[in-house]
């Protein structure tokens, strides 16, 4: 039973390029969450999605960032026109339903480096 | 405004002794509290949780205590082992509406 799969594990982009981060949730999980971790900081919530719907994007920067979770395929976090400050580890988590009694299971993250 | 705080960035403990990691929160609407462990270059791994209606939950070497009046919880690891060396995150959930992580505490268990 595979866990949450994120790819790529490492991604290098130049300023102004686009970054696409993928997340395949655990089997049977329809809730997906994206978090960002800056160096020496904790995990910051970005967005929560269910299949084809964005439920909460309160942690997502208003510009350049978007997320989707299509009916088929992985969830995608897309960052357009990347800047140096986007360098971080991006983690995806999934759960079968919502609530603290259903812990989120995390992937190993994508480390994004902006040159 | 940090809703979940872990005021100790790091903690060192001798192998075999007890590790106590602390967490404070400000939002009285949180109904579940969770602890995650994170090794370098890996994602966080769920350890143990506690409902706001309980004051203690135990799972093997790990026990979480909740003091609602003080808005404080703690994770006890006993006995501590070198493999427990990791960053520990406290997290809180508000009926699925709001999931917040603390900044983490780096635990080093010395052999």
């Amino acid at each position: 039973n595979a866990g949450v799969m994120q790819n790529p594990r490492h991604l290098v982009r130049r300023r102004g390029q686009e970054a696409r981060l993928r997340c395949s949730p655990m089997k049977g999980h329809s809730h997906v969450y994206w978090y960002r971790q800056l160096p020496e900081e904790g995990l910051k919530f970005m967005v929560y999605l269910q299949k084809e719907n964005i439920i909460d994007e309160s942690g997502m920067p208003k510009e350049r960032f978007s997320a989707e979770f299509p009916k088929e395929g992985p969830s995608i976090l897309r960052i357009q026109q990347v800047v140096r400050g986007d360098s971080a580890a991006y983690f995806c988590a999934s759960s079968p339903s919502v609530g603290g009694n259903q812990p989120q299971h995390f992937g190993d993250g994508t480390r994004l480096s902006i040159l | 405004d940090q809703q979940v705080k872990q005021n100790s960035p790091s903690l060192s403990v001798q192998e075999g002794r007890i590790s106590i990691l602390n967490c404070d929160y400000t939002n009285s609407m949180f109904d579940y509290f969770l602890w995650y462990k994170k090794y370098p270059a890996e994602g966080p791994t769920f350890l143990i949780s506690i409902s706001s209606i309980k004051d203690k939950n135990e799972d093997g070497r790990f026990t979480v205590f909740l003091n609602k009046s003080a808005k404080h919880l703690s994770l006890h690891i006993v006995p501590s082992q070198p493999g427990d060396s990791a960053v520990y995150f406290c997290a809180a959930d508000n009926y699925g509406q709001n999931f917040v992580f603390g900044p983490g505490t780096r635990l080093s268990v010395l052999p």
Side-chain angles (χ1 to χ4, degrees), chain A residues 9 35 100-101 104 106-108 111, chain B residues 32 36 41 43-44 93 96 99:
Chain A
R9 289 296 309 274
Y35 294 84
N101 60 339
Q104 298 176 16
F106 283 80
D108 284 338
R111 272 138 194 91
Chain B
Y32 253 92
Y36 284 81
D93 186 79
F99 199 87

Side-chain angles (χ1 to χ4, degrees), chain A residues 15 36-39 61 64-65 79 81-90 112-115:
Chain A
R15 280 178 294 172
R36 177 165 64 175
Q37 184 180 27
L38 295 170
R64 303 187 298 106
F65 285 72
I79 312 172
Q81 299 174 328
V82 296
V83 301
R84 286 254 169 89
D86 296 332
S87 294
Y90 292 83
L112 176 63
S113 299
I114 309 302
L115 303 178

Side-chain angles (χ1 to χ4, degrees), chain B residues 89-107:
Chain B
F89 291 100
C90 171
D93 186 79
N94 172 13
Y95 296 94
Q97 300 302 311
N98 184 15
F99 199 87
V100 183
F101 279 85
T105 296
R106 184 178 302 277
L107 173 66

